[in-house]
């Protein structure tokens, strides 16, 4: 059977349009020419002041996916423009009258987004909101992020969408590829009627499934991972808690990375929550679209107030911790079986009198140390679990050297002059490279301290990204700005056949070599060094093109001048093999810039050294990565409340 014989005839197409117009008496069936296609549109309340573009799901049409809303509406103030996407339903003719069956190019979500924008423009609407379900939600996010179209989008409502696809998704698509065997009779009947017969439906489903496979295997599953970060309009994400097609982690990821968004979960809702719970859906969406977010912010009486005292005196708490580390109080208490007395601590630390009592009281008040009084009136001291794990030298999770040597010994002093650096920028500080070149001892101490803090983080990275070991069992990694080599060392410990190259400044690399030499032969033989500046694009001439599976940049992006980032990521792209991954680990604020606090404070600390650095948020970094050719940027939390990891891929050839 030929393709054209399976297409809907003009007569049957007109018959269906008349049927639809009778069914939705208040919705006008119309044909709209846009972007070289005749689109079929069902339009409810065309004169309403607030129009909503409705984008249907996979193989869906205006009538199959938004029938309830077209019948009952969202409210008197709202008009609905529900469309049959390009090549589906009655949108199966080009502008010059040639019939066609929908193709699914790899960028079909963007195609559908721009088609929607073109339809609204052709209808004369310069401003509108967008509502998308399932695949339509993905297209809606593309539309709200697109530079050429986003200014027209007032608000966005999405439900059942996903910003990426996985192997499990592809298995599910393949399981329902054969519509005659794997689809329910009702679904097969409805979709066949919408698209002109079972044969055309099978063609469409094959093309759709093949497109999803291409997105996974050629684009690392990227549906709209970059676009999420460029959506700025108010956004409502709805999710049905009982949705077995699109799991809640998709909705959570979308909500986390769209600025000015909120997630609402319907506890009894499934994938088709807008149909099954239409009244609740109408109320939630109507309220969201009606709510006018005033430009003049008015504080909520229940909003937490800043604790000015806690902030102002916080440095005293930091100094209490650092002093206790330096004089050995935590080690002294840990060395005693059970609880330590004041005399035990006094003897071990070689400190006496009121000074020790005062420092102990400060640590007790900060809950770094626990104190109780026995029946004889004797003070007894012991450590809570967190202090035992992190502040005692014999613990595997100890990082006290990092706190005392780097945070206290270096950054604390630099922050004493932060107001001058904020005011005068490079006149007050010249960056890490200048600092380490002019003070080799500072470079040595910084690197040693960082090693103490980074080993645990490196293990956490591999735990967070276990796929690295399976994707690259013989991984070759370039560790840019790798400092002590902690991440390279841990990678070589964790992945048996991995090799790593630590790239850093000459003064740093000398210390790196010393640290690596202390590792077992099986590890140190697979970690090498390269002394050069990561921020000088020309200095990467010793890095061979396409020679690494992974390029890691930990605590680098926020430590260099912002104008150097594009060149750094360009060199990263060049160094990676096709299919290789860039891993950006750093102190990231959320896209709305509201926190988390520790990430914000570390960003400020870096200004004390690097006054021309960029305040890192995922959106800014992801856009620069995309400009350099990277795809599928995924954001992960690493150190809770402090650091994030962005993993981006170089496309396979």
């Amino acid at each position: 059977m030929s393709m054209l014989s399976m297409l809907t005839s003009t007569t049957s197409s007109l018959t269906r349009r008349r049927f639809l117009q009778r069914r939705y008496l208040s919705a006008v069936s119309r044909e709209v020419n846009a972007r070289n296609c005749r689109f079929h549109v069902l339009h409810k309340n065309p004169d309403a002041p607030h129009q909503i573009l409705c984008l249907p799901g996979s193989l869906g049409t205006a009538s199959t996916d938004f029938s309830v809303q077209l019948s009952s509406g969202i409210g008197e103030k709202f008009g609905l423009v529900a469309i049959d996407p390009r090549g589906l339903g009655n949108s199966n003719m080009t502008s010059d009258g040639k019939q066609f069956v929908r193709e699914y190019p790899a960028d079909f979500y963007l195609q559908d987004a721009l088609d929607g924008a073109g339809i609204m423009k052709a209808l004369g609407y310069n401003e509108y909101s967008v509502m998308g379900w399932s695949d339509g939600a993905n297209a809606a996010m593309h539309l709200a992020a697109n530079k050429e179209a986003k200014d027209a989008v007032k608000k966005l409502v999405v439900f059942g969408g996903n910003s990426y696809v996985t192997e499990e998704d592809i298995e599910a698509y393949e399981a329902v590829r054969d519509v005659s065997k794997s689809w329910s009779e009702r679904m097969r009947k409805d979709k066949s009627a919408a698209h002109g017969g079972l044969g055309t439906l099978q063609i469409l489903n094959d093309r759709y499934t093949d497109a999803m496979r291409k997105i996974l295997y050629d684009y690392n599953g990227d549906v709209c991972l970059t676009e999420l970060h460029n959506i700025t309009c108010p956004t409502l994400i709805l999710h049905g808690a009982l949705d077995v097609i699109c799991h809640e982690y998709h909705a959570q990821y979308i909500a986390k990375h769209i600025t000015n968004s909120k997630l609402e979960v319907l506890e009894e809702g499934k994938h088709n929550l807008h149909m099954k719970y239409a009244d609740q859906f109408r109320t939630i969406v109507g309220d969201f679209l009606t709510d006018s977010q005033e430009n003049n912010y008015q504080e909520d009486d229940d909003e937490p107030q800043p604790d000015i005292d806690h902030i102002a005196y916080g440095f005293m708490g930091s100094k209490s911790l650092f002093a206790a580390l330096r004089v050995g109080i935590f080690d002294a208490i840990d060395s005693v079986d059970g609880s330590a007395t004041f005399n035990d601590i006094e003897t071990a630390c070689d400190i006496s009198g009121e000074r020790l009592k005062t420092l102990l009281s400060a640590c007790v008040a900060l809950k770094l140390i626990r104190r109780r009084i026995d029946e004889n009136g004797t003070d007894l001291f012991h450590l809570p679990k967190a202090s035992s794990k992190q502040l005692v030298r014999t613990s595997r999770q100890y990082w006290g050297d990092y706190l005392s040597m780097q945070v206290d010994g270096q950054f604390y002093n630099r922050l004493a002059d932060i107001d001058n650096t904020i005011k005068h920028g490079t006149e007050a500080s010249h960056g890490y490279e200048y600092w380490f070149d002019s003070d080799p001892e500072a470079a040595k101490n910084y690197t040693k301290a960082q090693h103490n803090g980074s080993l645990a983080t490196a293990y956490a990275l591999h735990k967070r990204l276990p796929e690295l070991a399976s994707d690259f069992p013989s991984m070759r990694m370039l560790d840019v700005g790798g400092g002590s080599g902690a991440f390279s060392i841990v990678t070589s410990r964790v992945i048996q056949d991995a090799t790593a190259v630590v790239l850093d400044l000459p003064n740093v690399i000398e210390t790196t070599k010393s640290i690596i030499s202390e590792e077992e032969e099986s590890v140190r033989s697979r970690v090498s060094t390269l002394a050069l500046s990561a921020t000088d694009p020309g200095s990467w001439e010793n890095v061979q093109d396409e020679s690494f599976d992974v390029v890691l940049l930990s605590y680098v992006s926020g430590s260099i001048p912002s104008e150097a980032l594009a060149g750094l990521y360009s060199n990263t792209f060049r160094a990676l093999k096709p299919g290789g991954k860039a891993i950006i680990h750093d102190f990231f604020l959320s896209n709305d810039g509201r926190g988390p606090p520790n990430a914000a404070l570390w960003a400020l600390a870096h200004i004390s050294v690097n006054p021309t650095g960029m305040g890192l948020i995922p959106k800014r970094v992801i856009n620069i990565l995309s400009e350099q050719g990277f795809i599928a940027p995924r954001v992960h939390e690493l150190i809770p409340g402090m650091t994030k990891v962005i993993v981006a891929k170089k496309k396979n050839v």
Side-chain angles (χ1 to χ4, degrees):
M1 181 180 288
S2 70
M3 181 76 73
L4 284 177
S5 66
M6 290 187 287
L7 291 170
T8 307
S9 68
T10 303
T11 302
S12 61
S13 179
L14 288 172
T15 301
R16 282 208 305 277
R17 284 199 182 102
R18 289 171 184 150
F19 167 76
L20 291 171
Q21 194 156 357
R22 287 195 302 271
R23 182 175 180 183
Y24 309 114
L25 294 177
S26 59
V28 178
S29 176
R30 62 200 317 171
E31 186 178 89
V32 179
N33 276 303
R35 288 171 44 84
N36 196 35
C37 182
R38 295 181 185 176
F39 288 98
H40 174 243
V41 172
L42 289 175
H43 198 172
K44 185 180 182 68
N45 294 348
D47 297 325
H50 192 150
Q51 295 293 315
I52 307 169
L53 172 64
C54 302
L55 301 178
S58 168
L59 304 185
T61 65
S63 58
T64 62
D65 290 7
F66 292 107
S67 59
V68 177
Q69 285 69 43
L70 289 167
S71 296
S72 59
I74 299 295
E76 293 181 0
K77 297 179 180 179
F78 303 107
L80 300 177
V81 181
I83 71 171
D84 290 4
R86 176 184 297 266
L88 297 179
N90 287 309
S91 297
N92 60 0
M93 280 195 176
T94 61
S95 294
D96 57 3
K98 296 178 181 177
Q99 291 181 316
F100 69 99
V101 170
R102 179 180 173 89
E103 299 286 350
Y104 279 93
D107 64 347
F108 73 87
Y109 288 119
L110 175 60
Q111 171 187 270
D112 289 346
L114 297 179
D115 283 346
I119 290 168
M120 296 306 280
K121 184 176 181 179
L123 290 171
Y125 298 118
N126 296 319
E127 277 192 334
Y128 49 89
S129 291
V130 182
M131 183 165 68
W133 175 47
S134 196
D135 265 20
N138 303 340
M141 289 186 282
H142 272 275
L143 175 50
N146 186 266
K147 289 181 179 179
E148 297 177 2
K150 64 183 298 181
D151 289 345
V153 181
K154 297 164 68 174
K155 292 188 177 184
L156 176 65
V157 179
V158 292
F159 46 104
N162 52 295
S163 57
Y164 58 91
V165 292
T166 65
E167 285 279 3
E168 291 76 14
D169 295 318
I170 297 304
E171 290 174 5
Y173 295 139
E174 288 291 355
V176 293
R177 181 187 280 269
D178 189 333
V179 298
S180 64
K181 295 180 180 179
S182 58
W183 287 31
S184 69
E185 183 178 352
R186 178 181 175 183
M187 185 176 181
R188 185 166 58 246
K189 181 179 179 181
D190 289 347
K191 295 291 186 180
S192 294
H195 300 303
L198 186 62
T200 304
L201 179 62
Q202 184 62 63
I203 291 172
L204 290 169
N205 196 46
D206 282 337
R207 290 178 178 178
Y208 174 77
T209 305
D210 291 343
M212 300 311 293
R213 292 181 65 88
K214 186 175 182 65
I215 288 173
L216 176 64
Y217 298 122
D218 289 0
Y219 295 90
N220 205 37
D222 189 350
V223 171
C224 56
L225 287 167
T226 298
E227 287 71 22
L228 290 181
H229 300 273
N230 293 310
I231 296 172
T232 54
C233 66
T235 301
L236 172 65
I237 301 104
L238 294 172
H239 178 75
L242 304 181
D243 189 342
V244 297
I245 296 174
C246 186
H247 296 286
E248 189 168 343
Y249 59 75
H250 283 297
Q252 291 172 344
Y253 189 89
I254 291 168
K256 190 171 186 177
H257 297 294
I258 295 180
T259 304
N260 197 15
S261 69
K262 68 175 183 177
L263 170 63
E264 188 155 342
V265 178
L266 278 65
E267 294 301 327
E268 300 298 322
K270 297 182 179 179
H271 194 59
N272 62 344
L273 57 85
H274 64 307
M275 300 178 187
K276 187 76 176 290
Y277 296 95
D279 291 341
Q280 187 179 359
F281 177 85
R282 180 169 57 251
T283 299
I284 294 172
V285 172
D287 288 347
F288 170 73
L289 295 177
T290 302
D291 180 34
S292 60
Q293 299 182 344
E294 298 180 6
N295 292 328
N296 296 323
Y297 174 73
Q298 293 183 351
E299 185 175 285
D300 189 332
D301 291 338
D302 296 329
E303 189 166 342
Q305 297 297 309
D307 187 339
I308 305 298
D309 288 350
H310 183 77
I311 296 169
Y313 304 146
F315 77 99
M316 300 178 188
S318 300
K319 275 299 190 182
S320 300
L321 167 61
F322 301 148
L325 278 167
R326 289 181 185 279
V327 302
I329 285 178
F330 302 109
D331 291 329
I333 296 174
D334 181 73
S335 67
V336 178
D337 290 334
S339 299
T341 65
F342 180 81
N343 289 337
D344 292 331
I345 302 170
E346 189 177 41
T347 301
C349 297
D350 195 23
I351 305 172
S352 61
E354 294 300 322
R355 297 191 305 276
L356 179 58
K357 288 182 179 179
T358 302
L359 180 56
L360 281 170
S361 294
C363 290
V364 169
L366 293 168
K367 296 182 172 54
L368 293 168
I369 297 173
R370 300 278 192 259
R371 176 168 57 192
R372 65 183 177 86
I373 301 174
D374 69 8
E375 63 274 10
N376 298 317
T378 303
D379 283 339
L380 298 176
F381 301 88
H382 69 277
L383 300 179
K385 290 181 180 179
S387 297
S388 293
K389 288 182 178 179
Q390 301 178 53
L391 303 178
V392 174
R393 286 185 177 277
T394 54
S395 170
R396 292 182 62 184
Q397 297 175 342
Y398 172 74
W399 61 304
D401 287 350
Y402 168 75
L403 293 172
S404 59
M405 293 173 64
Q406 188 181 104
V407 179
D408 182 32
Q410 295 180 318
F411 278 107
Y412 206 96
N413 295 328
R414 298 194 72 93
L415 280 166
D417 200 35
I418 189 64
D419 53 340
N420 185 45
T421 306
I422 293 290
K423 288 180 180 179
H424 302 292
T426 53
E427 295 178 17
S429 184
H430 305 287
Y432 281 91
E433 193 164 340
Y434 175 85
W435 182 23
F436 290 164
D437 283 346
S438 61
D439 190 348
E441 190 65 21
K444 180 180 179 180
N445 290 337
Y446 187 100
T447 305
K448 285 185 174 180
Q450 189 67 46
H451 189 66
N452 179 248
S454 289
L455 285 171
T457 307
Y459 278 111
L461 178 72
H462 280 278
K463 186 176 181 180
R464 188 68 187 83
L465 303 174
E467 66 273 16
L468 291 177
S470 56
D471 289 348
F472 308 108
S474 300
M475 178 194 298
R476 178 167 163 77
M477 182 176 82
L478 180 63
D479 188 358
V480 179
S484 70
F487 283 86
S488 292
I489 288 169
V490 169
T491 296
S492 297
R493 291 176 183 174
V494 171
I495 303 176
Q496 184 176 358
D497 294 325
T499 58
V501 179
V502 183
L503 183 158
D504 216 315
L505 299 168
N507 279 340
V508 173
I509 287 296
E510 290 306 309
T511 305
T512 310
K513 290 179 179 178
S514 175
I515 293 172
I516 293 172
S517 69
E518 297 175 3
E519 291 292 312
E520 295 180 0
E521 169 64 21
S522 61
V523 172
R524 68 172 181 262
S525 63
R526 292 183 284 122
V527 182
S528 58
T529 60
L530 182 60
L532 55 82
S533 170
T535 61
D536 179 9
S539 70
W540 282 51
E541 58 188 18
N542 294 326
V543 179
Q544 184 179 350
D545 290 0
E546 299 189 349
S547 57
F548 292 93
D549 301 297
V550 171
V551 176
L552 171 68
L553 301 98
S554 181
Y555 300 128
V556 176
S557 299
S559 304
I560 65 175
S562 57
E563 63 270 17
L565 272 181
L568 176 65
Y569 295 164
S570 176
N571 277 338
T572 298
F573 187 86
R574 181 173 58 80
L576 281 169
K577 300 175 184 177
K581 293 182 178 180
I583 301 176
I584 317 295
H585 171 236
D586 223 306
F587 301 103
F588 280 96
L589 292 173
S590 57
N591 280 335
D592 62 12
R594 296 180 181 177
N598 285 343
L601 293 175
W602 264 113
L604 182 66
H606 280 308
I607 284 181
S608 71
V609 183
N610 176 42
T612 60
M614 177 186 289
L616 299 181
I617 60 174
K619 173 182 177 179
R620 299 178 76 177
V621 169
I622 284 172
N623 284 335
I624 298 174
L625 288 168
S626 297
E627 289 167 2
Q628 305 310 315
F630 285 100
I631 61 170
R634 289 279 300 277
V635 183
H636 307 269
E637 199 89 11
L638 192 58
I639 303 177
M642 193 176 299
T643 70
K644 291 181 174 65
V645 172
I646 297 176
V647 182
K649 187 176 182 180
K650 182 174 183 177
K651 187 180 177 183
N652 291 314
V653 174

